[in-house]
Amino acid sequence: MNPHKKLLIIGFVWPEPQSSAAGGRMMQLISLLQADGFDITFASPAQDSDFMVDLAEYGVTKAAIALNSSSFDAFIIDLDPDVVLFDRFMIEEQFGWRVAENCPRAIRLLDTEDLHCLRTARQKAFKENRTFQLHDLLVEEVAKREIASILRCDLSLIISGFEMNLLQEVFKIDPALLFYLPFLVDEISEEDLEKLPSFEERSNFVFIGNFLHEPNWNTVQYLKETIWPLIRKDFPEAVLDVYGAYPSQKVLQLHQPKNGFYINGRAADATEVVKNARVVLAPIRFGAGLKGKLLEAMQCGTPSVTSTTGAEAMHADWHWNGFITDDVQEFSKKAIALYQDEKIWKQAQQNGIEIIRNCYQKDSFSGKLLDVIHSLIKDPEAHRLHNFMGSLLQHHTLKSTKYMAKWIEAKNNN
């Protein structure tokens, strides 16, 4: 236990665990660090939203902060945190130099969520109708910003094993600056399994995902235009329920009940929706990180059919919770087989439980992370001494970003 230690989390947005996997991960981090005795303040420059959690209910202090304002300097000097966690590299760019200048001993952690440069480069390759290559990352502007942010921080939390390897092999990041931290979940017991709806009690295919996230919108388009017609051709009674927070008008226009394609908007309870569906469809064509929707499917005992991008780094060498394919004809056939054959379905469900037990157990990662954080708090200088590139970037960023921010602040005050 680490009583009386103070943690400041600076959020890109206020946590919405019912809207996105990123919101769920943030609440996992809060729970883990709070259990270790940290007093937590969550600050963000974002507007309040209707679906954000009530942080006070979790014993977390909420603080609104402003971009490009020296009011943050006074705020952080007064708070004097031991650890600052930046939610995504854009937040570190905005506030990291202020933290370094005003609280130099505070440990700076970065939660990347997923590698934005990987997602961006893959999306560009997809839009340009070409195969993504790892060297695309080396010319990606977002990569230069994101890697600089990782180097400036004492430790970055990386959600995907694929991204851990990429950072070390392509960008030559020192492993001491990285910590592999996938989604963290509790063990699923036999009793939990017995409470789940059975094969016969479930119906319909389902897709679920936040529509502010471009890969989700693209996936739904792909389902509607390419994959769903193939499924309906061989299985005319099939129904697909699409759920997701923040659907735009273009998403809602895909609603077509006569073809069994239902756009249902935000799910009141995503877990209940997935638990009562028979199969999750997720033909994701670009993206990065881990797919919260696919882990949630496993937790709900719901098999899935996904792409190689969807399943990337999610299951180690364990058999998938259903099928993985990038071929549309095969995707359609496997989806129907999984839906109609109880034996295949039950085996897929069991595979998902094995993946959770072997890849996502909270106890396998939480203790190690806390040990690293405690060690950093004890002697940050020893750690930073070995990160010359980080101190170099910190030095130059402090100068350039500081004067840009002061110029913007002066402009805003006129």
Side-chain angles (χ1 to χ4, degrees), residues 8 47-48 50 62 80 84 99 140 171 180 194 202 219 232 244 249 253 255 290 300 312 340 351 372 381 389:
L8 170 64
Q47 296 286 317
D48 284 7
D50 293 339
K62 177 177 180 281
D80 192 23
V84 177
V99 172
E140 176 54 57
F171 294 110
Y180 172 55
E194 284 163 20
R202 297 168 180 249
T219 299
R232 284 281 288 198
Q249 197 52 45
Q253 282 171 353
H255 184 65
L290 299 182
C300 293
E312 179 181 272
Q340 294 179 339
N351 292 348
V372 173
E381 295 315 314
M389 290 305 292

Side-chain angles (χ1 to χ4, degrees), residues 25 28 158-160 179-184 290 359-360 365:
R25 176 174 173 80
Q28 289 171 4
I158 310 299
I159 203 167
S160 150
F179 189 91
Y180 172 55
L181 193 74
F183 292 121
L184 305 175
L290 299 182
C359 303
Y360 298 99
F365 301 96

Side-chain angles (χ1 to χ4, degrees), residues 187-197 275 299 353 357:
E187 177 92 46
I188 292 181
S189 67
E190 290 305 317
E191 198 180 330
D192 295 330
L193 266 177
E194 284 163 20
K195 288 178 187 168
L196 292 171
K275 263 185 195 171
Q299 290 177 284
I353 303 305
R357 284 179 180 155

Side-chain angles (χ1 to χ4, degrees), residues 11 139 143 158 375 398:
V139 295
I158 310 299
S375 169
L398 198 66

Side-chain angles (χ1 to χ4, degrees), residues 16-64:
E16 289 188 28
Q18 289 298 323
S19 300
S20 70
R25 176 174 173 80
M26 181 53 72
M27 296 312 292
Q28 289 171 4
L29 287 170
I30 286 172
S31 168
L32 171 64
L33 291 158
Q34 206 168 40
D36 192 56
F38 279 94
D39 291 330
I40 302 178
T41 299
F42 193 106
S44 178
Q47 296 286 317
D48 284 7
S49 76
D50 293 339
F51 300 99
M52 60 192 273
V53 296
D54 182 352
L55 289 163
E57 278 186 19
Y58 293 86
V60 174
T61 304
K62 177 177 180 281

Side-chain angles (χ1 to χ4, degrees), residues 161-208:
F162 177 83
E163 293 176 7
M164 280 289 283
N165 292 335
L166 186 151
L167 288 166
Q168 292 171 66
E169 290 166 20
V170 177
F171 294 110
K172 312 302 180 193
I173 304 285
D174 181 348
L177 300 178
L178 308 172
F179 189 91
Y180 172 55
L181 193 74
F183 292 121
L184 305 175
V185 300
D186 293 316
E187 177 92 46
I188 292 181
S189 67
E190 290 305 317
E191 198 180 330
D192 295 330
L193 266 177
E194 284 163 20
K195 288 178 187 168
L196 292 171
S198 67
F199 176 84
E200 296 84 2
E201 289 169 331
R202 297 168 180 249
S203 60
N204 300 355
F205 293 97
V206 73
F207 172 84
I208 193 161

Side-chain angles (χ1 to χ4, degrees), residues 210-212 217 244-254 263 265:
N210 185 324
F211 286 108
L212 295 179
W217 157 236
Y246 304 107
S248 63
Q249 197 52 45
K250 63 184 180 181
V251 176
L252 297 172
Q253 282 171 353
L254 298 181
I263 301 289

Side-chain angles (χ1 to χ4, degrees), residues 92 97 108 144-153 173 177 387-401:
E92 189 279 335
W97 68 272
R108 299 184 297 273
K144 295 177 175 71
R145 293 171 57 198
E146 191 164 28
I147 298 305
S149 184
I150 287 170
L151 286 168
R152 284 191 297 264
C153 288
I173 304 285
L177 300 178
N387 182 16
F388 180 75
M389 290 305 292
S391 60
L392 181 83
L393 283 165
Q394 191 68 259
H395 172 80
H396 288 289
T397 304
L398 198 66
K399 297 282 185 287
S400 58
T401 316

